[in-house]
């Protein structure tokens, strides 16, 4: 049991690093590649690896029912195309650390969508947690008539739209209730989502004609496709299966730490005081919303320290 706990903790930290570093890789690749095309390229690399894995690992790895196909469609549109399209567009104007903070609003938005679409009632304290999280976003964005048209604010709102797309997609997947296992479903959603991103890229007139492919750009694509996607997503689902989705999704609050560190090391950029304060307010909102999980984790940590003493 202790060995498994250490393994899960190690996987949690590794996942936070892989997803935190992905924000830096995105920023690097955007120096040469158009955003929507780059988002599609991420999955062009990851999909063959993941489909090969699920074909080897799973007896049933292709959609079997209407619900499975609906799940693939929801994942492709919301979790892959909408999520990555908005995220890559938004990161053109803001730092990796700031993007990771805005993206971390997903655990606040998901219960709000579940309240509307799944009729999952929230008590007054949970609604307060959502409200506090949204206040944190306001602190980060600092909206005003002057700033709403600024590049950085538009970038922040684009990343916020990516987080909303993920939250909406996760709730719709629960409503669809597909029977196909999560990793095969995700692999097929990535394949369809990549195709959708390529269509959008062509539709908005993106071109790679003038792109200068350097070693840094190739490294950014490989880091995103292999490490932050093909490797990170299976780790995520292993954690969901073993420690539960709520505890696993707390990785959203470790990701900005790794994004800030790698961004500072590679680019010399960090977070502004407003971003740091907003992040703390958002985390407070999530702690209120997920107070039962926080209480259980604190109790578990206290008992562990008591036994060690």
């Amino acid at each position: 049991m202790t060995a498994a706990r250490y393994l899960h903790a190690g996987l949690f930290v590794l996942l936070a690093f892989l997803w935190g570093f992905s924000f830096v890789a995105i920023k690097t690749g955007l120096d040469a590649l158009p955003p929507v095309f780059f988002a599609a390229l991420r999955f062009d690399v990851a999909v063959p690896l993941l489909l090969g894995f699920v074909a080897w690992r799973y007896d049933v790895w292709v959609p079997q029912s209407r619900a499975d196909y609906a799940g693939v469609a929801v994942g492709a549109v919301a979790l892959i195309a909408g999520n990555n399209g908005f995220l890559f567009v938004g990161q053109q104007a803001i730092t990796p650390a700031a993007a990771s903070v805005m993206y971390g609003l997903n655990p606040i938005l998901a219960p709000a969508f579940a309240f509307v679409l799944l009729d999952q009632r929230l008590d007054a304290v949970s609604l307060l947690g959502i409200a506090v999280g949204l206040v944190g976003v306001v602190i980060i964005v600092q909206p005003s008539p002057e700033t709403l048209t600024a590049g950085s604010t538009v970038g922040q709102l684009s990343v916020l739209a990516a987080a909303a797309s993920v939250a909406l997609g996760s709730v719709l997947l629960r409503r669809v209730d597909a029977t196909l296992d999560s990793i095969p479903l995700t692999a097929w959603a990535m394949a369809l989502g990549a195709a959708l991103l390529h269509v959008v890229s062509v539709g908005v007139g993106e071109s790679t004609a003038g792109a200068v492919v350097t070693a840094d750009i190739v490294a950014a694509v490989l880091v995103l496709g292999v490490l932050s996607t093909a490797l990170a997503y299976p780790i995520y689902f292993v954690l969901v299966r073993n420690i539960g989705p709520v505890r696993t999704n707390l990785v959203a609050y470790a990701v900005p730490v790794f994004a800030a560190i790698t961004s500072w090391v590679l680019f010399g950029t960090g977070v502004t005081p407003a971003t740091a304060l907003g992040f703390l307010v958002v985390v407070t909102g999530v702690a209120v919303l997920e107070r039962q999980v926080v209480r259980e984790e604190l109790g578990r940590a206290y008992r562990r320290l008591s036994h060690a003493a």
Side-chain angles (χ1 to χ4, degrees), residues 3 21 29 33 64-66 72 90 97 99 115 132 175 194 199 202 205 214 222 258 278 282 294:
F21 194 62
L33 299 174
Q64 302 291 312
S65 65
R66 184 177 299 176
V72 169
F115 174 78
V132 170
R175 186 166 184 171
V199 170
V202 172
T214 65
L222 292 178
F258 288 97
V282 170
V294 173

Side-chain angles (χ1 to χ4, degrees), residues 245-304:
V246 175
R247 292 170 64 193
T248 301
N249 283 328
L250 294 178
V251 74
Y253 300 99
V255 166
V257 176
F258 288 97
I261 292 172
T262 52
S263 178
W264 176 73
V265 170
L266 296 177
F267 302 133
T269 59
V271 297
T272 65
T275 299
L277 176 60
F279 173 69
L280 292 176
V281 174
V282 170
V283 171
T284 300
V286 173
V288 173
L289 184 64
E290 304 292 352
R291 58 195 178 279
Q292 182 63 36
V293 175
V294 173
R295 189 181 301 115
E296 291 174 358
E297 290 302 311
L298 290 177
R300 185 178 289 109
Y302 175 77
R303 289 191 295 272
R304 191 178 300 127

Side-chain angles (χ1 to χ4, degrees), residues 42-266:
R42 169 185 194 171
F43 298 103
D44 292 341
V45 173
V47 166
L49 298 174
L50 267 182
L51 284 180
F53 170 76
V54 299
W56 165 72
R57 178 65 178 79
Y58 291 87
D59 294 329
V60 178
W61 60 280
V62 295
Q64 302 291 312
S65 65
R66 184 177 299 176
D68 289 343
Y69 285 107
V72 169
V74 168
V77 173
L79 300 178
I80 304 301
N83 168 25
N84 286 271
F86 282 120
L87 176 62
F88 281 58
V89 168
Q91 270 208 247
Q92 293 179 108
I94 60 176
T95 66
S100 66
V101 170
M102 293 298 296
Y103 197 71
L105 192 67
N106 170 33
I108 285 285
L109 295 175
F113 283 123
F115 174 78
V116 175
L117 297 175
L118 302 180
D119 198 30
Q120 293 184 357
R121 297 302 171 187
L122 300 173
D123 56 28
V125 178
S126 296
L127 291 173
L128 175 62
I130 293 176
V132 170
L134 295 177
V135 168
V137 174
V138 173
I139 293 173
I140 296 169
V141 177
Q142 299 181 25
S144 70
E146 293 77 22
T147 60
L148 283 178
T149 57
S152 61
T153 300
V154 173
Q156 289 171 331
L157 293 177
S158 294
V159 176
L160 180 58
S165 185
V166 172
L168 176 61
S170 65
V171 172
L172 289 176
L173 277 179
R174 275 185 282 170
R175 186 166 184 171
V176 167
D177 196 25
T179 57
L180 188 64
D181 194 271
S182 296
I183 297 180
L185 189 146
T186 300
W188 289 112
M190 285 180 180
L192 178 57
L196 292 175
L197 286 167
H198 278 297
V199 170
V200 172
S201 176
V202 172
V204 299
E206 289 186 343
S207 173
T208 59
V212 178
V213 179
T214 65
D216 288 344
I217 302 301
V218 173
V221 172
L222 292 178
V223 164
L224 276 175
V226 178
L227 299 181
S228 297
T229 306
L231 175 61
Y233 276 82
I235 290 174
Y236 173 80
F237 286 115
V238 166
L239 289 173
V240 167
R241 184 170 62 248
N242 287 280
I243 67 175
V246 175
R247 292 170 64 193
T248 301
N249 283 328
L250 294 178
V251 74
Y253 300 99
V255 166
V257 176
F258 288 97
I261 292 172
T262 52
S263 178
W264 176 73
V265 170
L266 296 177

